[in-house]
């Protein structure tokens, strides 16, 4: 579906010129690949890694609140660490990845490796402080790998197909998010020490993801094709090439140059909107806990709730990515937050029908499909290739920081005033931030329809 007809024997196909973004233009008689092989390789890595991480994420809320007896405030603190600590290292990861050829793969591999090593540590920690440290280390790994991975996706795609490329990657990533809770559910039912078994299997799966990254993701940085030196000895009848100045490698990007990207109007506005909307984005774990309490879902079925979000995300990521390439990424991004607003509103109603969880989880998955990859595609348009990882890290840092704050505030509000009051405040804040974000819309993208 995503790999074009090769037609290896077509003349000129082997020498297709590289575009500005490093994606090959098709030669005569050859169709352009809908998605670059690098995107598919990274999607496979993310699929495997998400099976591992979502196995833990699916059981972590129940393990902490029911098994260890943490209060909603304590869980909000840990959940904020789990989802927001990566903000502290995303800029560093993006900056390191932009320095030197092949840096994107090296930094991403380091991040995947750190997260994998954290999984078995959950077997030996049983109190708030050490669990928080392990989760912080795991999120450090995620923070290091996210911007370099997204930069590789962006640089291996053309501007007019970035929405689709990110959609394909996020769909493959979400397939892992769909399989992870299923694996956790099966392990919990089939073993005596269910949580320990989940953490052990999660580590083994994460190690496989690191191996796939090392073996199948190209090490060269997309978008920086090597220069071709002139011939030293011209062919018979060919005029000698004029003398040229020896090529020197470009200077490594500086941190100051990366921060200076915020001077660009569009990237600054995208970053500000990601920051504002993150202030009212309640974490997934809280959404599932709210659903469990509203519907009285038994503990043994709790791990299946993320499947609804993952299924909707999987089905809609590619269509909404293609739609973003056609009608505008900003339009789809803001509409995705409208879907999240409807999900919160449904949780606040008195409706207790059997369709409630399906509707909430469908809207929750639609929110992710319309925002996660689409935001990175929109931000890529205003960032030069040599600073692509750093620029995307700026946007991700603002979003992750405010989501960390939201987890802390929501957990405290739930503890002090109850879950309904906390969700009402988040709903009103999200509505206000969405209206403000509409007024900060960047210039329309100059992308071609997919």
């Amino acid at each position: 579906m995503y790999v074009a007809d090769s037609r290896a024997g077509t003349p000129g196909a082997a020498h297709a010129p590289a575009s500005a973004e490093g994606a090959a233009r098709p030669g005569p008689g050859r169709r352009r690949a809908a998605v670059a092989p690098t995107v598919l390789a990274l999607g496979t890595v993310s699929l495997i890694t998400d099976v591992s991480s979502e196995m833990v994420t699916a059981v972590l809320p129940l393990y902490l609140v029911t098994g260890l007896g943490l209060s909603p405030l304590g869980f909000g603190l840990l959940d904020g660490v789990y989802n927001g600590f990566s903000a502290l290292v995303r800029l560093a990861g993006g900056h390191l990845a932009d320095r030197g050829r092949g840096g994107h793969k090296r930094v991403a591999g380091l991040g995947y490796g750190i997260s994998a090593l954290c999984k078995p540590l959950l077997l030996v920690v049983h109190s708030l402080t050490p669990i928080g440290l392990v989760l912080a280390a795991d999120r450090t790994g995620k923070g290091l790998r996210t911007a370099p991975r997204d930069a590789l996706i962006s640089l291996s795609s053309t501007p007019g197909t970035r929405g689709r490329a990110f959609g394909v990657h996020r769909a493959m990533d979400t397939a892992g998010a769909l399989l992870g809770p299923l694996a956790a559910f099966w392990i919990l039912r089939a073993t005596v020490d269910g949580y320990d078994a989940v953490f052990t299997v999660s580590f083994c799966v994460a190690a496989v993801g690191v191996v796939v990254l090392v073996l199948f993701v190209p090490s060269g940085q997309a978008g920086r094709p090597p220069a071709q030196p002139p011939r030293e000895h011209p062919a018979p009848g060919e005029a000698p090439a004029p003398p040229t100045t020896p090529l020197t490698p470009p200077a490594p990007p500086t941190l100051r140059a990366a921060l200076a990207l915020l001077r660009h109007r569009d990237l600054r506005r995208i970053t500000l909107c990601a920051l504002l909307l993150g202030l009212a984005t309640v974490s997934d774990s809280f959404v599932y806990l709210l659903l469990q309490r509203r519907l009285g879902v038994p503990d043994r079925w709790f791990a299946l709730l993320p499947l609804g979000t993952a299924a909707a995300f999987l089905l809609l990521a590619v269509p909404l990515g293609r739609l973003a390439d056609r009608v505008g990424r900003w339009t789809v991004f803001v509409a995705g937050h409208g879907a999240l607003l409807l999900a919160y509103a449904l949780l606040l109603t008195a409706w207790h029908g059997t369709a409630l969880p399906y509707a909430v989880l469908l809207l929750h998955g639609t929110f992710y499909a319309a925002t996660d990859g689409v935001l990175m595609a929109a931000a890529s348009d205003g960032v030069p290739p040599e600073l692509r990882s750093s620029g995307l890290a700026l946007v991700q840092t603002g979003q992750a920081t405010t989501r960390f704050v939201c987890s802390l505030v929501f957990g405290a509000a739930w503890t002090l005033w109850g879950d309904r009051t906390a969700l009402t405040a988040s709903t009103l804040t999200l509505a206000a931030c969405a209206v403000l974000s509409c007024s900060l819309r960047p210039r329309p993208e100059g992308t071609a329809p997919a």
Side-chain angles (χ1 to χ4, degrees), residues 36 149 176 191 196 397 402:
R149 180 203 65 199
T191 59
D196 288 351
T397 297
T402 52

Side-chain angles (χ1 to χ4, degrees), residues 240-263:
T244 59
T245 304
L247 294 175
T248 58
T254 63
L255 186 59
R256 178 177 297 181
L259 295 175
L261 290 171
L262 291 177
R263 296 175 184 172

Side-chain angles (χ1 to χ4, degrees), residues 26 58 68 70 82 86 111 117 138 153 183 226 243 247 274 287 317 329 331 339 353 361 379 396 399 402 404 410 435:
L68 300 184
L70 290 181
Y82 192 69
S86 59
L117 291 175
D138 179 76
I153 295 171
L247 294 175
V287 171
R329 291 155 192 162
T331 301
L361 295 175
Q396 294 166 353
Q399 187 180 60
T402 52
F404 171 76
F410 189 87
V435 171

Side-chain angles (χ1 to χ4, degrees), residues 115-429:
S115 294
L117 291 175
C118 288
K119 300 300 189 296
L121 295 179
L122 291 171
L123 296 169
V124 296
V125 295
H126 302 287
S127 59
L128 181 62
T129 300
I131 289 176
L133 292 175
V134 172
L135 295 181
D138 179 76
R139 294 300 91 181
T140 298
K142 181 175 177 60
L144 285 173
R145 71 180 184 251
T146 302
R149 180 203 65 199
D150 285 349
L152 282 171
I153 295 171
S154 172
L155 290 168
S156 62
S157 309
T158 60
T161 61
R162 284 198 190 114
R164 177 190 295 177
F166 277 102
V168 169
H169 174 269
R170 292 327 195 243
M172 297 179 71
D173 182 269
T174 308
L178 193 64
L179 296 173
L182 283 174
F185 174 73
W186 180 82
I187 292 171
L188 285 176
R189 290 179 61 88
T191 59
V192 177
D193 297 324
Y195 293 119
D196 288 351
V198 168
F199 300 149
T200 301
V201 175
S202 174
F203 165 69
C204 296
V205 175
V208 173
V210 176
V211 172
V212 173
L213 174 75
V214 171
L215 295 180
F216 297 104
V217 175
S219 21
Q221 283 175 288
R224 296 185 184 180
Q228 298 295 329
R231 291 182 182 176
E232 295 182 3
H233 304 288
E238 180 181 0
T244 59
T245 304
L247 294 175
T248 58
T254 63
L255 186 59
R256 178 177 297 181
L259 295 175
L261 290 171
L262 291 177
R263 296 175 184 172
H264 297 277
R265 173 184 176 273
D266 289 351
L267 184 64
R268 183 173 64 249
R269 290 195 171 196
I270 287 173
T271 304
L272 179 59
C273 290
L275 187 148
L276 285 173
L277 292 167
L279 280 172
T281 304
V282 177
S283 83
D284 300 356
S285 298
F286 277 125
V287 171
Y288 304 142
L289 286 172
L290 287 167
L291 267 178
Q292 186 203 28
R293 295 200 172 196
R294 282 285 307 274
L295 302 174
V297 176
D299 290 353
R300 65 180 181 277
W301 298 104
F302 181 84
L304 295 181
L305 289 178
L307 295 182
T309 297
F313 194 173
L314 175 63
L315 293 174
L316 296 175
V318 175
L320 290 181
R322 297 185 65 182
L323 181 66
D325 286 335
R326 293 177 181 274
V327 305
R329 291 155 192 162
W330 192 251
T331 301
V332 174
F333 177 72
V334 175
H337 285 85
L340 184 63
L341 196 61
L342 288 176
Y344 292 171
L346 286 178
L347 285 171
L348 289 171
T349 63
W351 180 32
H352 287 80
T354 56
L356 175 63
Y358 300 102
V360 170
L361 295 175
L362 173 62
L363 290 168
H364 198 224
T366 301
F367 156 70
Y368 277 113
T371 59
D372 191 14
V374 171
L375 176 62
M376 292 297 97
S380 297
D381 294 332
V383 182
E386 65 272 12
L387 289 171
R388 186 64 50 83
S389 184
S390 301
L392 296 184
L394 286 172
V395 181
Q396 294 166 353
T397 297
Q399 187 180 60
T401 302
T402 52
R403 287 185 176 180
F404 171 76
V405 173
C406 181
S407 286
L408 294 179
V409 173
F410 189 87
W414 185 338
T415 301
L416 294 174
W417 302 300
D419 55 349
R420 187 175 184 84
T421 301
L423 186 59
T424 300
S426 295
T427 303
L428 295 176
T429 304

